[in-house]
Amino acid sequence: MRDNKYCLAIVGFGGMGNWHRELIESGIDGLFVKGVFDLKQERLDYAKENNLVAYASREELLADEEVDIVLCATPNDVHKEVTIAALKAGKNVVCEKPVAMNSAELQEMINTANECKKLFVVHQNRRWDQDFLTMKKIFDEKLLGEVHCIESRVHGSRGIPGDWRGEVEHGGGMILDWGVHIIDQLLQMVKENIKSIYCTLDHVTNELVDDGFKIMVTFESGLRALLEVGTSNFIELPRWYMLGTNGSATIEDWYMHGKMVRITDWDKNDAVPVKTAAGLTKTMAPRTDETIKTEDLPHVDTDIKDFYRNVMATISGKADILIKHDELMRVMKFMEAAFESARTNTVVPFD
Ligand code: NAD
């Protein structure tokens, strides 16, 4: 602590480590970044250019008594080692996602946090995404009636990055990278037991790790969700697509373009048939405007700085942590079940 502010130090000062620095330096009351440790000299030099302490080793960083919180933003295979060392040094830990390589590693991390009586939380930052919170509001408030289908997708066309993300031993692959976010979001939205998971993996540009996937999730009530990540999609499908008994909603992109369409009149059901050169359909004829209403998406306020506000409030005993260990474990076991389903090409029971 310094001047009653929590002091944070970063292990792994790459792209995401620097994102955290910029977020905190843009102003979060009661928190500052003191310094970093990274294996690469160029990242230590960059830290110095930004007036941060560049620790000579991880041990030196952990021995700094002023440091209250250690952020671990290394590649995924190093999370366990850094987290456990920091907890044992008496630090609170914020770890990047995916928290670990598997559920056994996560269990060790949780056990150490409990033994050391320190906070151990994971940066599931996409719980603060506006698109997710908007869809969650539509779901929670039953704005579409009873939802029976949710599709959550992230599509890119750049393949998998050519760094550690393409290598199994560092925890590469899209299930661990993006899957962990969209699975966590789904489980935060649908608070039901899951009956089963069926997963297929893509290997379009990378043979070693999955560069995309599709997961079909069936919940106990029958609600189904499709989770999909693609990195060879030159035309993107909508980020979200939700179907309820009374309407549909979509969010097209990262910028919240989207709409809700809801039924206003079930009785007027006369359809003008659609005729194409080779056929005719009434079933698939679009509805006419007098039976439906197209509306803007509801607005939800969100602020990612609340993640760190909650971390500090939890350390000082004024709040409960928002991102809980049992939630992390359920997501980790979900990812393991998805890999098992893909490996055996079977529908895997869950929960
Ligand atoms: P990166 O490759 O840009 O940075 C990783 C850094 O860690 C590198 O500078 C590397 O030199 C350093 N490093 C590696 N091993 C180390 C060790 N043993 N000790 C100290 N430093 C070490 O990767 P990134 O994109 O910043 O990803 C880092 C972590 O953040 C990953 O776990 C990733 O999944 C996560 N991430 C999260 C989000 C999010 O939205 N929550 C977004 C991107 C990345």
Side-chain angles (χ1 to χ4, degrees):
M1 277 248 177
R2 187 196 298 163
D3 302 332
N4 252 355
K5 284 184 165 192
Y6 284 103
C7 170
L8 180 139
I10 303 173
V11 178
F13 193 47
M16 202 56 193
N18 193 48
W19 180 92
H20 283 266
R21 173 189 73 84
E22 286 178 349
L23 180 78
I24 295 168
E25 290 185 351
S26 75
I28 299 180
D29 276 353
L31 184 63
F32 73 100
V33 182
K34 178 169 181 184
V36 315
F37 171 66
D38 197 289
L39 293 179
K40 289 186 190 148
Q41 186 56 45
E42 73 212 47
R43 298 310 293 166
L44 294 174
D45 293 342
Y46 181 70
K48 282 191 238 165
E49 284 164 29
N50 284 281
N51 303 315
L52 298 175
V53 175
Y55 295 96
S57 65
R58 189 176 83 199
E59 291 67 31
E60 189 182 286
L61 180 152
L62 295 182
D64 184 340
E65 287 185 2
E66 200 182 12
V67 173
D68 307 292
I69 305 168
V70 170
L71 165 70
C72 174
T74 60
N76 304 338
D77 56 321
V78 194
H79 290 180
K80 183 186 102 170
E81 178 192 321
V82 172
T83 297
I84 289 182
L87 288 167
K88 287 190 171 166
K91 308 301 184 192
N92 300 289
V93 175
V94 174
C95 183
E96 259 306 341
K97 53 48 61 173
V99 55
M101 302 282 276
N102 52 53
S103 56
E105 281 197 3
L106 174 57
Q107 192 59 55
E108 268 189 74
M109 295 156 95
I110 292 172
N111 292 347
T112 310
N114 291 341
E115 279 156 27
C116 298
K117 298 190 172 36
K118 287 287 155 188
L119 178 71
F120 160 50
V121 65
V122 175
H123 190 230
Q124 291 294 158
N125 50 322
R126 293 202 173 270
R127 287 192 192 182
W128 280 265
D129 271 353
Q130 189 139 29
D131 57 54
F132 160 63
L133 292 171
T134 301
M135 282 321 228
K136 187 171 184 310
K137 184 179 171 72
I138 292 172
F139 182 85
D140 288 346
E141 296 181 7
K142 296 191 189 299
L143 300 184
L144 307 177
E146 288 301 327
V147 169
H148 53 87
C149 171
I150 300 169
E151 298 185 6
S152 168
R153 292 190 172 80
V154 185
H155 281 169
S157 57
R158 297 171 184 281
I160 208 159
D163 55 7
W164 57 267
R165 281 179 172 78
E167 293 163 12
V168 179
E169 58 274 28
H170 298 301
M174 278 297 136
I175 291 240
L176 286 171
D177 193 18
W178 260 102
V180 71
H181 286 304
I182 65 174
I183 294 165
D184 183 62
Q185 288 179 338
L186 180 70
L187 301 191
Q188 287 298 305
M189 191 184 299
V190 185
K191 305 274 186 179
E192 276 186 40
N193 280 346
I194 292 171
K195 260 182 15 194
S196 65
I197 292 169
Y198 177 66
C199 171
T200 55
L201 302 178
D202 300 330
H203 293 276
V204 182
T205 59
N206 189 307
E207 276 305 314
L208 301 174
V209 298
D210 60 293
D211 53 29
F213 63 82
K214 290 185 180 65
I215 304 176
M216 179 59 81
V217 190
T218 306
F219 288 91
E220 225 162 44
S221 65
L223 190 161
R224 284 173 309 140
L226 175 64
L227 301 175
E228 184 183 329
V229 168
T231 53
S232 297
N233 298 61
F234 295 86
I235 298 171
E236 302 94 41
L237 290 173
R239 171 71 186 85
W240 291 93
Y241 180 66
M242 189 182 277
L243 303 177
T245 43
N246 297 333
S248 311
T250 181
I251 298 180
E252 296 294 329
D253 52 26
W254 300 111
Y255 309 106
M256 294 300 300
H257 295 112
K259 63 185 174 191
M260 280 196 301
V261 176
R262 295 195 281 181
I263 190 90
T264 53
D265 188 342
W266 282 112
D267 296 329
K268 283 196 201 116
N269 213 12
D270 289 344
V272 180
V274 175
K275 288 183 198 162
T276 60
L280 171 135
T281 176
K282 266 176 98 170
T283 313
M284 298 303 166
R287 280 190 166 273
T288 44
D289 282 347
E290 71 269 17
T291 69
I292 49 171
K293 192 168 176 209
T294 300
E295 294 161 276
D296 289 340
L297 296 165
H299 180 76
V300 180
D301 283 320
T302 173
D303 182 357
I304 185 55
K305 291 181 180 177
D306 286 344
F307 171 82
Y308 274 114
R309 294 184 186 118
N310 175 248
V311 166
M312 291 187 286
T314 305
I315 296 172
S316 60
K318 293 186 196 127
D320 289 331
I321 198 70
L322 290 171
I323 295 164
K324 299 186 186 341
H325 291 172
D326 59 338
E327 296 167 350
L328 299 170
M329 188 56 91
R330 189 161 175 242
V331 172
M332 188 55 79
K333 291 203 164 155
F334 183 115
M335 294 192 290
E336 289 174 341
F339 282 125
E340 172 69 6
S341 166
R343 193 181 60 77
T344 55
N345 190 27
T346 54
V347 177
V348 172
F350 195 71
D351 275 335

